[in-house]
Amino acid sequence: AARRLALARAPARVRGACAPGCQQDYSIEANAPTACTHHAMAPVFHDGTKKWPCCKKTAWDFDEFMRIPGCETGPHEPMVA
């Protein structure tokens, strides 16, 4: 009974997504207008390059590309199944 009560009091968690957003778990209560840093546009892959057209950042290496920080902030948005 105590465990069920503790679970009932835990903040609701949903999976965040702002395609191609931050993909972080977040609580609805903690979501704020600047909680998520993400890219405003979808990535472009062309001739070996990887680009974020929204902030004009380009990389050749995929790991380097994935480390490019987002250029826009906004609230987390739940994934749509």
Side-chain angles (χ1 to χ4, degrees), residues 39-68:
H39 289 282
M41 299 173 73
V44 174
F45 300 96
H46 181 71
D47 289 338
T49 63
K50 296 108 183 113
K51 301 177 184 180
W52 290 111
C54 49
C55 55
K56 298 178 179 31
K57 302 283 183 170
T58 302
W60 289 89
D61 179 71
F62 188 76
D63 291 330
E64 178 186 346
F65 172 71
M66 293 304 293
R67 287 191 298 268
I68 296 172

Side-chain angles (χ1 to χ4, degrees), residues 10-19 21-37 74-80:
R13 296 192 72 78
V14 297
R15 181 82 171 148
C18 301
C22 68
Q23 304 293 314
Q24 294 181 7
D25 289 332
Y26 66 95
S27 70
I28 295 169
E29 295 85 7
N31 198 8
T34 58
C36 179
T37 301
H76 291 293
E77 297 178 16
M79 279 190 185
V80 177

